[in-house]
Amino acid sequence: MFALRASKVRLTVRKREPVTSGSVNVCEARFEFSPEWDGLTRTATFRAGGESRSVLLDESGVCVVPWEVLTKPNVQLQAGVCGTRGGDIVLPTVWADLGTIHPGSAVGEKAGPTTPDLWQQELAGKGDELRYTEEGELGLYAGERLLSSAPVRGGGEGGTMDHRLLAHRNAEGQHPISAIDGLEAALATIPTPMTADQLRKILINGGQ
């Protein structure tokens, strides 16, 4: 486990451990904070080889280093932390060097599920989630309780461009021929199937 301490804007590495590329859910970091960080929402950010991922810290200050920043060997792994309160206070630290990522023997580049975005982590921390209501709107739920919802907007005046998100799309009569522009005219151009007798008359009499 890595151990780091944030003293206002300074981030000091107190303990390191070797890290190999391809590691997933095995590298942890523990952050400690000086009194300047009291009452702030704390977010740890890790970066290496052009990749960067952020993780919300809980009261323990412990998090797993996201696997996305551990895919490339022979690059430097860095960590930083940022504290916020409302829209008035933002306290970022300098970057701290956690060392070089050593080549690992893991096969494949994507070895784990994608690390959630910060807004998804915030919803998960509150026990909330986004999903579609029975009416096809995008709803914010706390368990099974709907907190709020909003129509899904697509092109034009409204609606959605993805028919998979339409409410009642499997009900009968939802997609009649008249609902699709030009379909009736296109169907009218298809010749009516002929019997063998009808075809023989055309060949013998020239269609008379």
Side-chain angles (χ1 to χ4, degrees):
M1 177 184 286
F2 293 100
L4 303 97
R5 177 174 174 78
S7 297
K8 201 169 184 178
V9 299
R10 184 177 181 181
L11 186 61
T12 304
V13 181
R14 293 188 165 183
K15 180 182 178 182
R16 288 184 174 87
E17 67 173 352
V19 179
T20 53
S21 60
S23 298
V24 179
N25 292 333
V26 294
C27 300
E28 293 186 330
R30 183 180 69 248
F31 293 83
E32 298 176 352
F33 297 90
S34 63
E36 291 91 348
W37 289 79
D38 291 347
L40 299 182
T41 299
R42 303 160 184 178
T43 302
T45 300
F46 300 87
R47 69 181 185 183
E51 290 289 338
S52 177
R53 291 293 186 278
S54 297
V55 182
L56 283 175
L57 296 176
D58 58 18
E59 292 300 321
S60 70
V62 177
C63 69
V64 174
V65 179
W67 67 267
E68 290 94 337
V69 301
L70 302 177
T71 60
K72 297 179 181 179
N74 302 317
V75 295
Q76 293 300 116
L77 175 62
Q78 294 181 309
V81 66
C82 183
T84 59
R85 184 165 63 220
D88 301 326
I89 296 179
V90 179
L91 179 58
T93 68
V94 297
W95 290 99
D97 188 357
L98 301 183
T100 302
I101 300 174
H102 302 286
S105 59
V107 178
E109 182 174 331
K110 185 172 182 179
T114 302
T115 301
D117 291 331
L118 285 177
W119 67 267
Q120 294 172 313
Q121 297 178 42
E122 291 175 352
L123 285 182
K126 296 177 182 178
D128 298 344
E129 64 173 327
L130 290 173
R131 65 175 186 265
Y132 291 98
T133 67
E134 293 182 356
E135 291 74 25
E137 294 186 334
L138 187 61
L140 176 62
Y141 286 83
E144 295 302 318
R145 183 165 63 93
L146 178 63
L147 302 178
S148 63
S149 63
V152 180
R153 296 294 179 183
E157 295 295 325
T160 175
M161 298 297 291
D162 190 342
H163 281 200
R164 294 171 298 176
L165 305 181
L166 294 175
H168 314 300
R169 59 189 173 90
N170 293 325
E172 293 184 5
Q174 289 297 301
H175 296 87
I177 291 177
S178 59
I180 304 176
D181 290 343
L183 181 56
E184 289 181 297
L187 292 175
T189 64
I190 299 176
T192 303
M194 292 182 292
T195 65
D197 288 338
Q198 290 173 323
L199 180 59
R200 185 165 47 252
K201 288 179 181 179
I202 292 176
L203 294 176
I204 295 174
N205 302 320
Q208 302 297 321

